[in-house]
């Protein structure tokens, strides 16, 4: 079979038939008979197989569940929800966030089946946007996705390091926590993550596969300790805790065809399965924790700075037992950092491959020995380490990464889902993959858009009133600066070099650019 570089991407049912067909004709020269379907998928998308495939359905579900780290995330961040909204907001907000995230996840999974590439959002935007906007919209989606992935990688490592520091406070009398101590611990977590991502790549999938109050208080107690006059605003701000528990649901899409067998089917299924599992675990964990929370004021004022540590200390009455329990939580967060670094680096590599990243030839390089984008992994790690310096100057500014991760991710989700909804509403042709939402697609897309918009708006709000330099939400400032950098890069570099996802085609039996 031969594809010419100037041919457009196959449309409508052509893509579905070609992806699902199991014919003997080969799209490229293959060494493994089992990879025929994947190679044809890559060829249809105009991409060349470069990375080793280490993930199947089970390992990818484990990877995605560990990557989301939902119950671990809410254990570490529910202080915000207790202040704005209280236990009732945490429970019902978590349920709302779970349902909203499922809608978003299903919408993204459909597009991942349509185009299972590491580019994810920016590739889908390029396919779905009107022709005259496809390149510029794809550029924005690519950079927003990279900012978001970098933020969630840094925030996961930071929370793990802060929890370690909290245990030191608990166990070492007289210890005075300093911000530079937290930064050093943060760098240690990142170092472990980069070593596992490069040296341990062959066992990476197996690593990812390991890892009483009254009922009225839990289900009906409402708190507004943030100083807001409106309880509704306070409740919506409390969604930060619940929504952050499910951030990163797009993670497996950046490990798509290049590293996953039968990705057009496996990736969307793994995304939905992982989110269902994560949501169920998080709901059960949250209810159990809130029933055992005890004195809420004691929990919020804990010297360890993490309420979850105080809750387990009160419950067990033992520093040793508390330390052991929290260590399991920290280890899971570290495993999550492994995954977030992998996803961020694959996205940066894919964007460089499509010439959306400065020095594209250098960062699009794939190690011939490890068959992974080592340079992209090191680049993301270095940037994340530099972000750790912000914590030395201001922990408040660095904590904005939590909100920034949400804003960035849901903005990157909103772009392709909106374009998909517009195509559906206008009954325009869509290059379906083997997994799609059918007649429920438009309703699910619209629900995703509403949920994402509400989150983005309220994540820009400050958590407390009155607003001061110490408690303001710096996420809006950082996100604005990131968008300004995106615009500057477009005029300096992007409009000359970036033409959307690069087409690598089959010619004379070989895959070529």
């Amino acid at each position: 079979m031969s594809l010419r570089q100037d041919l457009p991407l196959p449309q409508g049912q052509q893509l579905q038939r070609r992806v699902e067909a199991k014919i003997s004709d080969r799209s490229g020269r293959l060494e493994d008979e089992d990879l025929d379907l994947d190679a044809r998928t890559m060829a249809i998308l105009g991409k060349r197989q470069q990375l080793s495939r280490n993930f199947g359905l089970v390992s990818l579900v484990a990877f995605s569940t560990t990557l989301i780290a939902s119950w671990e995330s809410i254990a570490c961040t529910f202080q915000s929800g207790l202040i704005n909204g209280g236990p009732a907001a945490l429970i019902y907000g978590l349920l709302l966030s779970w349902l909203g995230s499922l809608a978003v996840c299903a919408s993204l999974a459909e597009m991942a089946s349509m185009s299972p590439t590491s580019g994810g959002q920016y590739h889908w935007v390029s396919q779905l946007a009107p022709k005259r906007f496809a390149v510029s919209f794809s550029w924005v989606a690519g950079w927003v996705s990279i900012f978001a992935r970098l933020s969630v990688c840094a925030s996961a490592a930071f929370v793990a390091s802060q929890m370690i520091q909290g245990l030191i406070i608990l166990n070492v009398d007289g210890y005075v926590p300093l911000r530079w101590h937290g930064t050093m611990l943060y760098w240690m977590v990142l170092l472990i993550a980069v070593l596992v991502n490069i040296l341990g790549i062959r066992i990476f999938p197996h690593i990812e596969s390991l890892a009483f109050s009254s009922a009225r208080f839990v289900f009906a107690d409402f708190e507004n300790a943030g100083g807001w006059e409106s309880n509704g605003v306070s409740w919506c701000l409390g969604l930060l805790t619940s929504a952050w528990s499910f951030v990163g649901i797009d993670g497996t899409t950046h490990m798509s065809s290049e590293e996953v067998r039968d990705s057009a089917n496996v990736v969307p299924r793994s995304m939905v399965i992982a989110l269902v599992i994560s949501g169920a675990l998080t709901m059960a964990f949250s209810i159990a924790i809130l029933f055992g929370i005890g004195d809420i004021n004691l929990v919020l004022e804990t010297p360890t700075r993490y309420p979850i540590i105080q809750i387990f200390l009160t419950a067990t009455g033992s520093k040793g037992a508390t330390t052991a329990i929290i260590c399991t939580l920290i280890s899971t967060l570290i495993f999550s950092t492994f995954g977030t670094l992998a996803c961020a680096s694959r996205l940066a590599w894919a964007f460089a491959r499509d010439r959306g990243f400065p020095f594209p030839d250098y960062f699009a390089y794939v190690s011939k020995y490890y068959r992974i984008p080592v340079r992209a992994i090191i680049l993301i790690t270095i940037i994340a380490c530099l972000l750790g310096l912000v914590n030395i100057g201001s922990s408040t500014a660095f904590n904005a990464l939590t909100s920034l991760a949400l804003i960035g991710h849901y903005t990157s989700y909103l772009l392709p889902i909106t374009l998909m909804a517009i195509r559906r509403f206008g009954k325009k042709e869509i290059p379906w993959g083997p997994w799609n939402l059918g007649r429920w697609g438009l309703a699910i897309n619209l629900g995703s858009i509403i949920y994402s918009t509400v989150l983005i708006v309220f994540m820009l709000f400050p958590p407390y009133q009155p607003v001061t330099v110490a408690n303001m939400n710096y996420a809006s400032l950082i996100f604005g600066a990131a968008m300004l950098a995106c615009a500057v890069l477009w005029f300096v570099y992007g409009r000359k070099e970036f033409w959307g996802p690069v087409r690598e085609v089959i010619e004379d039996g070989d895959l070529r650019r």
Side-chain angles (χ1 to χ4, degrees), residues 6 175 207 489:
D6 57 348
Y175 170 66
I207 294 175
L489 276 171

Side-chain angles (χ1 to χ4, degrees), residues 346-425:
R346 297 319 187 269
L347 177 58
W349 166 76
F351 207 41
R353 179 185 59 183
D354 290 331
R355 307 196 72 78
F357 216 78
F359 310 106
D361 294 332
Y362 183 82
F363 290 115
Y365 173 79
V366 174
S367 167
K368 294 180 180 179
Y369 179 77
Y370 294 108
R371 295 189 67 189
I372 55 173
V374 173
R375 292 174 183 173
I377 293 172
I378 293 174
L379 173 67
I380 294 298
T381 304
I382 290 173
I383 297 174
C385 285
L386 292 175
L387 285 175
L389 297 174
V390 175
N391 179 60
I392 297 176
S394 171
S395 57
T396 302
F398 193 84
N399 281 323
L401 285 173
T402 302
S403 296
L404 183 61
L406 275 172
I407 296 168
H409 272 91
Y410 279 92
T411 300
S412 75
Y413 302 159
L414 196 57
L415 288 169
I417 293 174
T418 300
L419 291 170
M420 177 65 89
I422 291 172
R423 276 186 171 267
R424 271 196 161 102
F425 189 76

Side-chain angles (χ1 to χ4, degrees), residues 157-176:
F158 182 68
V159 171
S161 66
Q162 291 294 288
M163 292 284 285
I164 294 172
Q165 197 169 26
L167 287 183
I168 296 173
I169 295 171
L170 176 67
N171 290 282
V172 180
D173 293 334
Y175 170 66
V176 178

Side-chain angles (χ1 to χ4, degrees), residues 35-347:
L35 298 183
D36 283 357
L37 178 60
D38 291 315
R40 282 198 299 278
T41 303
M42 294 289 290
I44 291 165
L45 295 172
K47 296 298 178 187
R48 175 164 49 95
Q49 177 63 38
Q50 292 179 273
L51 306 183
S52 60
R53 284 189 171 92
N54 295 308
F55 290 89
L57 178 61
V58 175
S59 59
L60 200 63
V61 168
F63 174 86
S64 186
T65 305
T66 306
L67 182 68
I68 297 171
S70 56
W71 69 269
E72 300 90 343
S73 299
I74 204 166
C76 301
T77 61
F78 73 86
Q79 181 174 2
S80 174
L82 288 176
I83 293 172
N84 284 304
L90 279 174
I91 293 298
Y92 302 121
L94 185 61
L95 182 60
L96 174 63
S97 294
W98 188 16
L99 294 175
S101 297
L102 276 171
V104 173
C105 181
S107 298
L108 297 178
E110 181 178 58
M111 287 180 276
S113 180
M114 177 182 77
S115 297
T117 71
S118 295
Q121 290 92 309
Y122 82 81
H123 195 112
W124 307 331
V125 166
S126 177
Q127 283 185 274
L128 298 172
K131 187 175 180 179
R132 62 175 176 163
F133 298 119
V135 174
S136 58
F137 282 14
S138 179
W139 171 270
V140 173
W143 278 105
V144 169
S145 298
I146 288 175
F147 290 141
R149 279 277 131 212
L150 181 60
S151 297
V152 78
C153 176
S155 59
F158 182 68
V159 171
S161 66
Q162 291 294 288
M163 292 284 285
I164 294 172
Q165 197 169 26
L167 287 183
I168 296 173
I169 295 171
L170 176 67
N171 290 282
V172 180
D173 293 334
Y175 170 66
V176 178
L178 299 175
R179 285 197 292 269
W180 70 267
H181 296 170
T183 297
M184 295 295 290
L185 291 168
Y186 166 75
W187 286 346
M188 179 192 72
V189 173
L190 287 176
L191 176 61
I192 296 171
V194 74
L195 290 175
V196 168
N197 266 266
I198 296 175
L199 302 180
I201 186 60
R202 288 179 176 82
I203 62 169
F204 191 11
H206 306 294
I207 294 175
E208 292 295 311
S209 298
L210 299 172
F212 289 99
S213 299
S214 68
R216 174 178 173 78
F217 173 80
V218 175
F219 295 105
D221 185 67
F222 181 87
E223 299 286 340
N224 182 356
W228 292 93
E229 293 183 5
S230 168
N231 287 338
V233 172
S234 179
W235 192 90
C236 288
L237 288 173
L239 281 176
L240 171 62
T241 296
S242 302
W244 197 67
S245 301
F246 301 116
V247 75
I249 53 180
D250 64 310
T252 52
T253 67
H254 304 301
M255 310 289 288
S256 298
S257 285
E258 288 87 349
E259 294 182 274
V260 182
R261 293 173 181 268
D262 190 15
S263 55
N265 283 299
V266 170
V267 171
R269 288 163 57 197
S270 68
M271 291 171 66
V272 175
I273 293 171
L275 190 57
V276 170
I277 293 172
S278 297
L281 288 173
T282 307
M283 286 294 297
F285 178 80
S286 300
I287 292 172
I289 287 296
L290 290 172
F291 269 109
I293 197 170
D295 186 342
I296 190 171
N297 292 320
L298 177 63
V299 167
L300 290 174
E301 295 170 4
T302 175
T304 65
R305 299 176 297 183
Y306 278 90
I308 191 66
I309 297 178
Q310 184 61 50
I311 290 171
F312 281 120
L313 180 61
T314 301
T316 64
S318 166
K319 290 183 178 180
T322 300
T323 300
I325 295 170
I326 297 300
C327 279
T328 62
L329 179 60
I330 292 171
S331 65
T332 308
L333 287 169
I334 293 175
F335 288 158
S336 178
T337 305
F338 299 166
T340 56
L341 176 58
C343 293
S345 62
R346 297 319 187 269
L347 177 58

